[in-house]
Amino acid sequence: QEQLVESGGGLVQAGGSLRLSCAASGSIFSIYIMGWYRQAPGKQREWVASCTTSGITNYADSVKGRFTISRDNVKNTVYLQMNSLKPEDTAVYYCNAERGINVYWGQGTQVTVSS
C-alpha cells in the first residue's frame, strides 16, 4: 500500500509563512506527478500546485507568486512553501500523487491563517 504522509501545517498570522512536507514511498515518487490540493470548509477540494518528475511546476492563479512547490528526489519528499499567507488560504491541504488512472492522497494537514 502506497503512502503519502504530510506534515507542517499549523496556525499562522496573515502575511506569514509555512512549509508543508509530504513524504512518499519510493515506488510512487520516482514516476508520479506530485501535487497539493486544499479544501476549505464548505467548499470543494481545489488544486493548488503540481510538479512533474522532471521538475516542471504549475500553480493555481490564487497562489501564483506566493507558493512554491518543489521535490527532493533523494528524500522522496515534496514541499509546498507558502509565503504571504492570507486568511482565504485557510484549508486542509492534501498531498497528491498521480499517474494516469492511479491516484493517491495523503491524510491532510490543517493550515489556518488568522487575520
Side-chain angles (χ1 to χ4, degrees):
Q1 181 69 26
E2 309 297 353
Q3 283 192 321
L4 301 175
V5 180
E6 300 114 333
S7 61
L11 173 64
V12 64
Q13 288 188 332
S17 298
L18 281 175
R19 188 177 81 157
L20 306 182
S21 301
C22 173
S25 60
S27 59
I28 291 179
F29 198 83
S30 61
I31 60 174
Y32 277 61
I33 295 172
M34 302 299 297
W36 290 93
Y37 286 69
R38 66 187 181 186
Q39 187 166 17
K43 295 187 177 181
Q44 289 188 333
R45 190 173 298 188
E46 64 174 359
W47 169 74
V48 174
S50 59
C51 184
T52 68
T53 55
S54 58
I56 297 172
T57 58
N58 285 287
Y59 300 92
D61 287 344
S62 59
V63 306
K64 201 171 294 183
R66 300 187 299 121
F67 291 10
T68 302
I69 187 172
S70 60
R71 59 195 294 164
D72 185 326
N73 292 328
V74 174
K75 296 182 178 179
N76 291 340
T77 300
V78 62
Y79 303 98
L80 185 68
Q81 177 66 43
M82 305 184 294
N83 298 328
S84 301
L85 282 161
K86 305 174 181 180
E88 51 263 44
D89 294 318
T90 295
V92 177
Y93 283 71
Y94 295 91
C95 181
N96 164 275
E98 186 171 336
R99 184 172 185 259
I101 63 171
N102 297 312
V103 181
Y104 299 97
W105 293 94
Q107 80 285 357
T109 185
Q110 176 70 46
V111 171
T112 302
V113 184
S114 64
S115 57

